[in-house]
Amino acid sequence: MPLSEHEQRMLEQMERALYAEDPKFATALEGSGLRTYTRRRVYQAVAGIVVGIALLMTGVIIPNVLWISVVGFLVMLGCTVLVVTGWRKAPKPGEQPVSGSTGVSARGHNRQRRSMMNRIEDRWQRRRDEQGQ
């Protein structure tokens, strides 16, 4: 259940007050959870890209071992996908993780989509009624 606008404003005021009163404690709370997980995942993926480059170069240098280059390329490709997806999911400092349709813009977009769907359903129902009579 999404928070009302008043509740969201109160929560933002409480967060600002916490940051103003004890920024060290607020940063300690902020660092846990999704952001830490995604940051760690991005670092691991970057290390995997470096390993993939090393495998690729090893396969190029050593003759008759082309499969090492292919494995290195696949490792780099997979780790690049992990970096890009992890970077997009990571919330910015001081930002709450986005979930479902809790944002104001998401609610407005959902309302607009629902009204469009209502119009389409109404048109469909009118066509069925006209064809049936």
Side-chain angles (χ1 to χ4, degrees):
M1 182 169 143
L3 298 174
S4 69
E5 290 181 22
H6 175 69
E7 291 170 334
Q8 286 178 352
R9 281 193 305 260
M10 293 295 291
L11 184 60
E12 288 172 2
Q13 284 179 340
M14 290 168 40
E15 287 175 357
R16 282 193 299 266
L18 177 63
Y19 276 106
E21 184 178 312
D22 194 358
K24 189 174 181 180
F25 178 67
T27 354
L29 288 178
E30 177 185 282
S32 62
L34 179 65
R35 194 167 128 226
T36 303
Y37 170 74
T38 53
R39 183 184 303 153
R40 185 179 319 126
R41 186 172 132 186
V42 167
Y43 290 152
Q44 290 171 348
V46 168
I49 290 173
V50 171
V51 169
I53 290 172
L55 287 173
L56 184 70
M57 291 299 154
T58 303
V60 169
I61 293 172
I62 300 175
N64 299 328
V65 203
L66 185 64
W67 63 271
I68 293 179
S69 294
V70 173
V71 169
F73 176 76
L74 292 176
V75 167
M76 285 181 359
L77 182 67
C79 290
T80 303
V81 168
L82 285 176
V83 167
V84 170
T85 58
W87 204 266
R88 287 182 184 167
K89 291 179 183 178
K92 306 293 183 270
E95 179 179 81
Q96 293 296 324
V98 179
S99 64
S101 61
T102 57
V104 175
S105 62
R107 257 189 275 134
H109 181 67
N110 194 14
R111 192 177 315 134
Q112 179 183 5
R113 180 178 298 234
R114 188 63 217 155
S115 65
M116 183 181 73
M117 289 303 292
N118 284 339
R119 289 194 314 256
I120 292 172
E121 288 173 0
D122 291 342
R123 288 179 190 167
W124 178 257
Q125 189 63 35
R126 274 185 281 157
R127 286 181 188 160
R128 287 184 61 192
D129 291 342
E130 290 172 358
Q131 290 176 355
Q133 291 177 355

